[in-house]
Each structure stands twice: as structure tokens, then as C-alpha cells.
Amino acid sequence: MKDENEKDFGSFLSIERTREKVTIQRSIFISTAEHVENVDEAKSFISAVSKEFNDANHNCWAYKVGEFELCSDNGEPSGTAGKPILNAIKSSNLDRIVVVVTRYFGGIKLGIRGLIDAYCYATKIALEDGTKKRFLEGRIVEIQCKYDEFDKLRYKFKKSGYFYLSPPVFGENVKIKLFIPEDEKIDLSHVEVGKTEIEKEQLIKI
């Protein structure tokens, strides 16, 4: 049974950086996968891997960041590389992830079906073998309060089931940093609070 104070944090599964190499009909496929928090990070990763393997015949890629997804065949026949990579990502149930599959041509043409299968397989082995990590989605909230209000807030937050991101900091005031569900609002009307700051959407690894 779910505890009444248990919070409904959104979560998703991603992957730590991983790289796998496979040879198919003498062509070498190198799959590099990484967790990213936004589209800009995905683009930077694609650029870095493509630069690392700038002597390869192709650096094909795909990313999925929430509702944003994009892929590229990077010179392979249309629909034979980027889309299979993206489909493999989607079927893995991973999110906020980018994959670059580098190909060194081995002299044997694989054909349309062969290319689709090769890029899909190269992606799948990287995603299956890579170390997975789960993230909670929410907001970071930093609150500053007076010392005589601290016990009230600490009791409220404990009862509410919030995450403390770090121990309270005791200075001129008390600083408390929490992680709360994205759509939740904290009612502080019963205490005197000096300052409240809400940072942009963040993720925490669990």
C-alpha cells in the first residue's frame, strides 16, 4: 500500500556513457551512447563523436529527449541508419539519450535491409550492455527562514516526504534546499519565510 506521504515524482530510465564495437560483413560499426539533459547537449555530443571519428565513412545518429527526437542518415541511403537507431532507442524505453553509430566501410555492400538491420543491431547492443540509471523529475526549491521557524518547516517537509538535496546551512538565516514534484506547490503561509527561490527543472539520479 502506498504511504500517504509518498510523492508522485515523474521518473525515467537513461544510460551512462557506453561504447560498443561490432563487425558486420567486414564493415566496422562503433556505437557510442550517452545520457543528455537537453537537445543542446545531444547536439554537442554528436559533434564531438563525429569529430573523434572524422575519418569514418559515416557518423549516423539519433536522440530522444522527452518529446523531442531527431535522427540522421549522414550519407547512408535514406531511412537506413538514423531511423533504425531512433527506433532502437524508443524500443529500449530509455529517455534523454543520444546514440552515434560510426561506420567504417569494409568493402561489402549490405543493401537496404542489411543496413537497417546493422544500424539497429549496433544500437541495441550498446543500449543493452550499458549501465542504466534512473532519474526523478521535479524542481529544486531553496528556502531561507529564521531560526525560530526552522523546526516548523523541518516537520512539515518530513511529513510531506520531500527530498533534502543537502543538509540545512546555518548562517544569518537557515537555508534549506529541497527536491519536490514538478507541479507541486509548498504552502508556507503559516511561517515567516525570508526568501524562496525556485530553480529551473532539474533531475536527480536515484
Side-chain angles (χ1 to χ4, degrees):
M1 181 180 295
K2 184 176 179 179
D3 186 274
E4 64 178 356
N5 292 326
E6 184 179 340
K7 292 301 168 184
D8 291 320
F9 286 94
S11 70
F12 65 91
L13 197 64
S14 192
I15 195 171
E16 294 183 358
R17 178 163 183 159
T18 186
R19 174 170 286 167
E20 296 289 341
K21 178 180 176 181
V22 63
T23 300
I24 301 173
Q25 293 293 307
R26 299 201 328 215
S27 281
I28 297 173
F29 292 84
I30 302 170
S31 305
T32 311
E34 174 72 290
H35 163 73
V36 291
E37 293 199 10
N38 52 57
V39 170
D40 287 340
E41 285 188 11
K43 291 179 179 178
S44 295
F45 180 82
I46 292 165
S47 178
V49 175
S50 298
K51 184 177 180 180
E52 179 183 357
F53 296 108
N54 61 6
D55 60 337
N57 298 93
H58 306 280
N59 284 291
C60 307
W61 53 264
Y63 63 76
K64 183 180 184 304
V65 182
E67 62 183 10
F68 300 103
E69 54 187 54
L70 196 64
C71 62
S72 170
D73 297 309
N74 191 236
E76 292 281 30
S78 179
T80 63
K83 194 64 178 292
I85 296 170
L86 181 59
N87 287 340
I89 292 173
K90 293 166 75 171
S91 65
S92 71
N93 293 318
L94 300 175
D95 196 8
R96 305 207 187 191
I97 185 171
V98 57
V99 178
V100 178
V101 179
T102 301
R103 183 190 182 195
Y104 288 91
F105 180 55
I108 299 177
K109 293 185 177 181
L110 301 182
I112 298 299
R113 184 73 256 172
L115 285 172
I116 292 172
D117 291 343
Y119 278 100
C120 182
Y121 176 71
T123 304
K124 282 185 175 180
I125 61 171
L127 299 185
E128 289 173 358
D129 293 346
T131 301
K132 310 301 187 298
K133 54 184 180 180
R134 183 167 292 280
F135 289 87
L136 292 181
E137 298 176 283
R139 294 181 302 162
I140 295 175
V141 178
E142 182 180 278
I143 297 168
Q144 295 187 29
C145 68
K146 296 183 177 180
Y147 277 77
D148 57 3
E149 300 287 359
F150 175 60
D151 284 339
K152 294 179 185 178
L153 286 174
R154 181 169 57 180
Y155 173 78
K156 177 180 178 61
F157 297 151
K158 180 179 179 180
K159 185 177 179 181
S160 298
Y162 298 141
F163 283 92
Y164 282 91
L165 288 186
S166 57
V169 177
F170 297 94
E172 182 178 349
N173 293 310
V174 183
K175 292 183 181 180
I176 309 164
K177 186 167 283 194
L178 304 166
F179 192 76
I180 69 173
E182 177 64 26
D183 298 325
E184 186 157 338
K185 295 181 179 179
I186 301 178
D187 178 15
L188 299 174
S189 58
H190 66 297
V191 296
E192 184 176 349
V193 177
K195 184 179 181 183
T196 303
E197 294 182 356
I198 299 179
E199 300 182 13
K200 64 180 180 180
E201 180 179 343
Q202 299 285 332
L203 308 172
I204 61 173
K205 179 182 174 183
I206 59 171

